[in-house]
Amino acid sequence: MFKINDNYLKLPGSYLFSTIAKKVNAFEAANPDKTVIRLGIGDVTQPLAPVIIDALHGAVDEMGKAETFHGYAPDLGYEFLRTAIAKNDYADRGCEIAADEIFVSDGAKCDSGNIQEIFSVDNKIAVCDPVYPVYVDTNVMAGRTGTYDPKTEMWSDVIYMPCTAETDFAPELPKETPDLIYLCFPNNPTGATITKAQLQEWVDYANKVGAVIIYDAAYEAYISEADVPHTIFECEGARTCAIELKSFSKNAGFTGTRLGYTVIPKDLKCGDVMLHSLWARRHGTKYNGAPYIQQRAGEAVYSPEGKEQLAKQVAYYMNNAKVIKEGLQEAGYTVSGGVNAPYIWLKTPDGMTSWEFFDYLLANANVVGTPGSGFGPSGEGYFRLTAFGTYENTVAALERIKKM
């Protein structure tokens, strides 16, 4: 008789945002007269920029002609997109990343979940706490995290790096040596950042202990402060210890269009084995490539018009972040984030748990956010709001919250 991967049975409850969706659907069914404003999931609301739409239309037209039709994409992605990425995201920032070290995919979420497949199940992971749930959950599915303690909400074989108000919501180097280190800056969910000097400490540490940093830079387009790195490859020595995940979802609104990429330098090795070769094998075996149409749209992101139009979209969302942050502060909340990231991290009032505040906010303001405890035990007592709503809904939500 067949057997299942019983690691899936170890996962507590459903995926965080699935639980939120069920709660919100139940509330709307019971309160059809209420208008709910969603500031929970990090999904964009502004339409794709005109230059991207033009690129999509052009690519669709190409697919309708035999002489310009495209079938399967190359394993790594089309040369035109990888070259644009290498120049704009790396060379222009003084980073040495070649086009053939870039793997185009359908999004950073998939890559962040799949990247662990090229590592032994014996590797020990270290994660920030709170953390994007996908990092932990996919390692649970692989059987790498040990047993779960519902009281502490922690896994026995995971190294947790608390990110608290006392540390400005940044992690400290772990006391126990990890093999894989997940870092995300600007951070989801806290919106926190670290300086280039602080990130260099992590690179130096990883090289010293022989660890790999899996660096999620999905929100780098929102960085506004000069000393915050846009890529881990700004740090000396990162080519021998780091993998970087990037997304077109937040900088260009591709949440529904789907496009991302992963960078694995050829200098990153386990003994004589290049991790680049392992990921290339995995990519070629399990993935048929992001569609040509999407990759042409991705190329348009790097055009002069694309940069100008997308800078305005980022500014739109960051103005929302300012509205949320200042509004919450005026209402007496303790707030962080919202400067280099589209996330606002607030302390729940009156000693409420994260889920108690979720229910309170939904019932009294009809506003949806994300409970901090869903991101890990150190997120308890905190709550995340996103700036990805429309400006009108953002203003309306803050007015409702102020009246509670």
Side-chain angles (χ1 to χ4, degrees):
M1 180 171 176
F2 69 87
K3 296 180 181 179
I4 62 168
N5 178 354
D6 58 10
N7 290 312
Y8 279 68
L9 303 180
K10 299 176 183 177
L11 290 164
S14 60
Y15 183 55
L16 171 62
F17 296 105
S18 299
T19 302
I20 291 172
K22 290 175 183 177
K23 277 179 165 281
V24 174
N25 290 339
F27 177 85
E28 289 182 319
N31 299 274
D33 58 322
K34 305 291 186 182
T35 301
V36 173
I37 297 176
R38 290 169 168 79
L39 299 180
I41 192 169
D43 195 3
V44 295
T45 53
Q46 294 302 292
L48 294 172
V51 68
I52 294 172
I53 293 297
D54 289 343
L56 288 169
H57 281 303
V60 168
D61 289 341
E62 287 185 61
M63 297 296 276
K65 302 173 184 176
E67 59 271 22
T68 53
F69 173 80
H70 290 79
Y72 291 126
D75 284 355
L76 272 67
Y78 284 99
E79 180 73 24
F80 62 78
L81 178 57
R82 291 186 290 111
T83 298
I85 292 168
K87 178 186 184 301
N88 289 274
D89 287 349
Y90 297 101
D92 288 357
R93 294 191 174 116
C95 304
E96 182 190 350
I97 294 295
D100 66 356
E101 295 176 316
I102 296 165
F103 296 80
V104 177
S105 71
D106 59 357
K109 179 179 181 179
C110 295
D111 286 353
S112 67
N114 293 330
I115 195 68
Q116 53 79 26
E117 289 187 24
I118 66 174
F119 296 98
S120 167
V121 73
D122 297 330
N123 284 304
K124 196 150 194 176
I125 69 167
V127 297
C128 293
D129 174 29
V131 69
Y132 182 45
V134 172
Y135 308 152
V136 175
D137 287 0
T138 52
N139 278 283
V140 174
M141 294 171 179
R144 194 176 284 116
T145 56
T147 56
Y148 181 71
D149 184 344
K151 292 182 179 179
T152 62
E153 298 182 335
M154 300 172 79
W155 294 89
S156 62
D157 291 344
V158 172
I159 300 170
Y160 291 87
M161 303 182 292
C163 300
T164 64
E166 290 71 30
T167 64
D168 291 326
F169 299 104
E172 297 178 339
L173 295 176
K175 294 180 176 60
E176 183 182 356
T177 304
D179 301 301
L180 306 177
I181 303 168
Y182 286 81
L183 295 178
C184 173
F185 291 106
N187 185 258
N188 176 18
T190 66
T193 54
I194 56 177
T195 65
K196 182 178 178 180
Q198 289 174 307
L199 185 55
Q200 185 67 57
E201 290 181 10
W202 282 95
V203 170
D204 293 343
Y205 171 78
N207 278 317
K208 178 182 177 181
V209 302
V212 173
I213 297 173
I214 299 173
Y215 194 76
D216 187 342
Y219 300 93
E220 64 82 18
Y222 292 84
I223 294 171
S224 61
E225 296 180 321
D227 196 31
V228 178
H230 287 258
T231 165
I232 195 170
F233 296 111
E234 292 179 35
C235 295
E236 185 178 351
R239 285 185 56 86
T240 56
C241 71
I243 293 172
E244 185 160 274
L245 313 174
K246 293 288 289 292
S247 169
F248 287 80
S249 289
K250 305 310 193 299
N251 68 325
F254 278 40
T255 55
T257 310
R258 307 310 305 148
L259 195 65
Y261 65 86
T262 289
V263 176
I264 305 186
K266 293 181 180 179
D267 296 342
L268 180 53
K269 299 179 180 180
C270 179
D272 294 329
V273 179
M274 292 193 304
L275 269 61
H276 180 280
S277 299
L278 299 184
W279 187 243
R281 188 68 171 89
R282 193 260 174 214
H283 216 58
T285 301
K286 292 191 174 185
Y287 187 60
N288 268 336
Y292 172 76
I293 296 166
Q294 273 91 321
Q295 293 198 47
R296 278 297 182 195
E299 180 188 33
V301 167
Y302 298 103
S303 67
E305 300 86 355
K307 291 178 181 179
E308 180 182 358
Q309 291 170 14
L310 295 177
K312 292 179 180 177
Q313 285 197 354
V314 168
Y316 177 94
Y317 292 128
M318 289 311 293
N319 183 58
N320 285 351
K322 181 181 179 181
V323 168
I324 296 171
K325 187 170 186 176
E326 292 180 353
L328 290 172
Q329 288 173 332
E330 290 172 8
Y333 289 87
T334 300
V335 188
S336 60
V339 176
N340 296 293
Y343 294 122
I344 292 82
W345 190 243
L346 63 117
K347 189 171 180 59
T348 57
D350 304 322
M352 288 186 188
T353 68
S354 298
W355 280 107
E356 285 172 347
F357 186 68
F358 174 91
D359 292 333
Y360 177 75
L361 192 65
L362 181 58
N364 292 278
N366 310 146
V367 172
V368 178
T370 309
S373 60
F375 298 102
S378 290
E380 182 55 87
Y382 287 89
F383 202 77
R384 191 193 76 175
L385 293 175
T386 85
F388 286 124
T390 64
Y391 173 74
E392 294 76 15
N393 278 348
T394 300
V395 171
L398 265 294
E399 290 303 315
R400 293 183 188 182
I401 292 172
K402 288 178 182 179
K403 292 177 182 177
M404 289 196 310

